[in-house]
Amino acid sequence: MAYFPENIAKRLSIDETSLSNGELYTIVTNKACKGREGTIVAMVAGTKAETVFVILEKTPLKLRNSITEITLDMSANMGIIAKKYFSNAVRVMHRFHVKKLALEALQEIRIKK
């Protein structure tokens, strides 16, 4: 687990990724850094909300409450994390996941006809 509270900004993103051998990680990033230095806020092995809570609990409430936006996918765990630790932030669904869901629905309709 890695935690860099100095990288926390008003707009964050939380997502899961597989780095190697199918190992899943939850990554919290500073959106303003766009992948450059200072991007990673937290990196946690696994995607269970309870595991991520251990890291995010280290962030003072005042700092968590200052976050205005959190971008996430549509998974239940990410929603639970965002609601509990970034309760003042507007939750924004990541456009990749919205597009994927829309395309899957369109494909399903197309196949039925």
Side-chain angles (χ1 to χ4, degrees), residues 17-25:
T17 190
S18 177
L19 298 180
S20 65
N21 300 325
E23 297 174 35
L24 291 175
Y25 291 85

Side-chain angles (χ1 to χ4, degrees), residues 1 49-58 85:
M1 291 190 237
E50 296 79 19
T51 307
V52 179
F53 289 171
V54 173
I55 288 291
L56 295 180
E57 284 174 348
K58 296 177 181 181
Y85 284 96

Side-chain angles (χ1 to χ4, degrees), residues 13-17 25-29 42 44 46-47 52 70-75 78 94 96-97:
S13 183
I14 185 168
D15 205 354
E16 70 239 2
T17 190
Y25 291 85
T26 300
I27 302 177
V28 180
T29 57
V44 182
T47 59
V52 179
I70 182 88
T71 301
L72 58 150
D73 65 19
M74 294 184 205
S75 75
M78 298 303 134
H94 193 279
F96 168 81
H97 299 283

